[in-house]
Amino acid sequence: MRKPHLTRSFLLRLSLAGVALLFLVVIGVSSLSLRTARVDLTADRIYTLTPGTEKIVDGLREPVTLTLYFSEHATRDLPQLRSYEQRVQEMLREMAVRAHGRIRFRVIDPVPYSDDEDAAQSYGLTPATGGSNGERVFFGLVGTGGQGEVPPQSIAFFDPAREAFVEYDIAKLLYELGMPKKPRLGIVSSLPVEGNLVIGEPAWAAVHQLDQLADVVSIDPQGLTRIDPSIKLLLLIHPKKLSDDALYAIDQYVLRGGRLAVFVDPDAEMDPAPLVDSHGVVDDHDSDLRRLFEAWGVVYDPAKVVLDRSQALTIELNGNTVAHPAMLGLGTQDLNHDDVVTASLQRVNVSTAGFFDLAPDTRARLLPLVQTSDDAMVVPAQRAREAAADPSSLLENYQPTHDRYVLAARLRDVFHTAFPERHEAGHLNVAAAPGDIVLVADTDMLSDRLWIDVQPLLGQQQLTPFANNGDFVANIVDNLGGSSELLSIRGRANLQRPFTKVRALQAAADRKFLAKKRELENELYETQRRLSELQPAKGNTAGAATAEQRREVEKYLQRKLAIGKELRDVQHQLNAEIDALGLRLKFIGIVLVPALVALGGLIYGWRRSRRGRRTV
């Protein structure tokens, strides 16, 4: 009996069928065994969860449901927002995978006039305008479930301005879902921040709003010798003349890992104490934590006030509009958008504020949150008080130092005690781990007058904020009052990758433009000076002076046109360089790389065909 002959073509088909079968088996096995495997190849590890987030996810004891509401149809013409949504969705899926079933994730498109749209609004999601055909755009997150009777938590809208903190915001929502009760917040203050029910004085709005974030406990600074360890965050507002026992209690609270936010002031305008009491004792309305600040490496002078004429607020005084250089409106350029506390704020107002710096021999880090412009200077606090009736007098002999003064900051260090000589039971000389303290050199910013407008409406008070002071305080409490894992979550890099070569070309052109601009301004100044010198001669030789003026003006106009042409030439050169770079990139990506791949394939095929002919 003759054996069947296996041809090369049959063996080739059999091999292909075997490879296909093996491929299907590998795909099936990997889909089951590698379902939770992830590889993050991005440069900034943007899809890798930080250890803080992993601890929060791992700490969930009960299942939670995360619902992402995103208007898919309404954003079809908004590619940037759709790209951001993909990143948010990938991060949520990564958390769901990490949770091993404790997080249920779903995505809903709340189309107009649907039950889903009503549900999104009922959870407090805020739609944005500007979608396709004028539709509203929902892009928020709702979390339900968790421990105890925790109400649903939500992120009203994923603001692209907070893209660097998207992981923090989501992790915070998960933390609050798994938290059975609000954290305790202790307030120590010598100002009437909590109002006075006896005389009908309401609490300051910035402090009253904290009731929604925490269980607020008022602590009397008189007789303070110990701080309850259950207090998650301590808020010191204008701590005046605290005893050593009170300072020691604060010192040990910080060393045991307690969170602290300090509001001091060189001139607290809301201080109700008389400047001179009945015994002739002078009260400058200032506050300080000198002994603690020295131990922490912080430099602060309670007798100095910062002025900034560039950021001066305009006030009404005696029927006149006056710029007040000690009352400052700090905008986005003065706020640290790399810190979660100030990342999304637009404006913070302060009044007669001080400033912080670091001692030269300290290892602590001072991370600015709010700074002045470089057009600021420092004056004695007494001068600021004396100028209350005429703020414009503060501008006399104004000499800016060209430094940016830190009005609020985050202090980070492994803190040491300011009382090494004390040896009470449980005394600590150094903290076990690094800690964060938020320092603010103004207390007036907490008062309603600097950030909120109160108007009566239907028998109720309508509060309309015109600055973000309240948000600033709430963010501090929100950040420091959370878990240590939340504090450890880093801000993410923005996904927008800059074209560094193009930016370098633009920067070079900008330098050229700046030089030309200065040249033009100098020539303009010189021409105006020359014209002013010719004016006195007008009475004697009006015709000659007028002719000379005409010649100067003509000369200036000709030079101005020449410089304008040079500016256009620089711009054209920049555009030509950028266009040439673009053409080179297109040539490499569209022509050169495919040509090299095709050439390599042709060479490989030619060599195989040659080997095949040789074997035959």
Side-chain angles (χ1 to χ4, degrees), residues 175 183-185 229-234 253 258-259 480-483:
Y175 172 75
R184 296 193 73 194
L185 167 65
S230 66
I231 291 178
K232 192 79 170 180
L233 170 64
L234 184 65
Y253 171 77
R259 311 283 170 68
L480 295 184
S483 69

Side-chain angles (χ1 to χ4, degrees), residues 246-484:
L247 293 174
Y248 180 69
I250 297 169
D251 173 90
Q252 294 297 295
Y253 171 77
V254 170
L255 297 188
R256 288 188 172 86
R259 311 283 170 68
L260 180 67
V262 180
F263 290 79
V264 290
D265 203 326
D267 180 24
E269 299 169 28
M270 304 304 293
D271 192 334
L275 289 171
V276 181
D277 63 14
S278 57
H279 301 288
V281 178
V282 177
D283 186 338
D284 290 333
H285 290 179
D286 61 341
S287 53
D288 192 4
L289 291 176
R290 182 176 298 277
R291 186 163 184 175
L292 296 182
F293 283 168
E294 289 177 353
W296 297 339
V298 175
V299 176
Y300 165 76
D301 189 344
K304 299 291 185 181
V305 166
V306 178
L307 308 182
D308 190 343
R309 61 186 176 186
S310 297
Q311 310 294 2
L313 290 175
T314 301
I315 64 172
E316 292 290 334
L317 188 64
N318 300 325
N320 298 319
T321 301
V322 182
H324 199 319
M327 296 182 67
L328 312 180
L330 292 315
T332 54
Q333 70 278 7
D334 308 309
L335 306 177
N336 182 2
H337 290 276
D338 293 327
D339 192 288
V340 67
V341 169
T342 48
S344 57
L345 304 186
Q346 301 296 317
R347 186 179 186 85
V348 172
N349 293 340
V350 301
S351 181
T352 58
F355 65 97
F356 299 107
D357 203 349
L358 283 179
D361 57 345
T362 184
R363 290 187 174 183
R365 294 179 61 199
L366 192 70
L367 309 176
L369 297 176
V370 183
Q371 301 180 87
T372 66
S373 73
D374 59 2
D375 194 27
M377 67 173 293
V378 175
V379 298
Q382 182 61 32
R383 182 183 171 190
R385 283 189 287 269
E386 293 172 350
D390 183 16
S392 61
S393 63
L394 294 173
L395 294 173
E396 296 176 1
N397 301 319
Y398 192 94
Q399 295 181 346
T401 60
H402 304 295
D403 292 324
R404 301 191 70 187
Y405 294 94
V406 177
L407 308 183
R410 187 190 294 271
L411 181 69
R412 186 166 292 166
D413 195 13
V414 178
F415 296 107
H416 290 68
T417 183
F419 297 86
E421 74 282 359
R422 300 186 70 152
H423 303 286
E424 282 85 343
H427 170 82
L428 294 178
N429 280 316
V430 62
D436 276 17
I437 296 175
V438 171
L439 305 175
V440 184
D442 186 45
T443 60
D444 301 305
M445 69 168 303
L446 301 173
S447 63
D448 295 354
R449 68 189 179 97
L450 278 182
W451 72 279
I452 203 166
D453 185 28
V454 182
Q455 296 289 341
L457 179 65
L458 300 177
Q460 302 291 328
Q461 286 187 334
Q462 179 73 21
L463 306 181
T464 305
F466 52 84
N468 297 120
N469 295 28
D471 299 325
F472 176 68
V473 178
N475 288 351
I476 291 174
V477 173
D478 210 15
N479 182 237
L480 295 184
S483 69
S484 57

Side-chain angles (χ1 to χ4, degrees), residues 211-245:
D211 290 329
Q212 302 174 8
L213 301 174
D215 178 16
V216 180
V217 178
S218 181
I219 301 175
D220 187 359
Q222 301 298 325
L224 174 62
T225 58
R226 180 179 177 275
I227 297 172
D228 191 338
S230 66
I231 291 178
K232 192 79 170 180
L233 170 64
L234 184 65
L235 216 61
L236 295 183
I237 304 175
H238 200 43
K240 291 174 57 178
K241 301 181 177 66
L242 293 182
S243 66
D244 282 348
D245 287 339

Side-chain angles (χ1 to χ4, degrees), residues 136-204:
R136 297 188 303 172
V137 175
F138 284 88
F139 183 20
L141 183 68
V142 175
T144 56
Q147 297 183 13
E149 300 298 327
V150 179
Q153 304 294 324
S154 65
I155 298 175
F157 192 85
F158 282 102
D159 184 359
R162 286 184 61 86
E163 184 175 0
F165 301 99
V166 62
E167 181 182 358
Y168 174 88
D169 292 337
I170 297 173
K172 173 177 166 292
L173 182 144
L174 288 174
Y175 172 75
E176 292 175 345
L177 282 175
M179 184 174 55
K181 59 182 180 180
K182 296 178 181 179
R184 296 193 73 194
L185 167 65
I187 296 181
V188 178
S189 178
S190 58
L191 299 177
V193 296
E194 298 184 84
N196 190 328
L197 296 178
V198 177
I199 62 176
E201 181 179 323
W204 294 6

Side-chain angles (χ1 to χ4, degrees), residues 522-545:
N522 290 336
E523 291 200 17
L524 175 62
Y525 172 78
E526 183 62 26
T527 301
Q528 290 176 338
R529 186 190 64 80
R530 178 60 177 157
L531 291 175
S532 63
E533 290 177 353
L534 292 173
Q535 290 298 328
K538 191 174 182 179
N540 299 329
T541 57

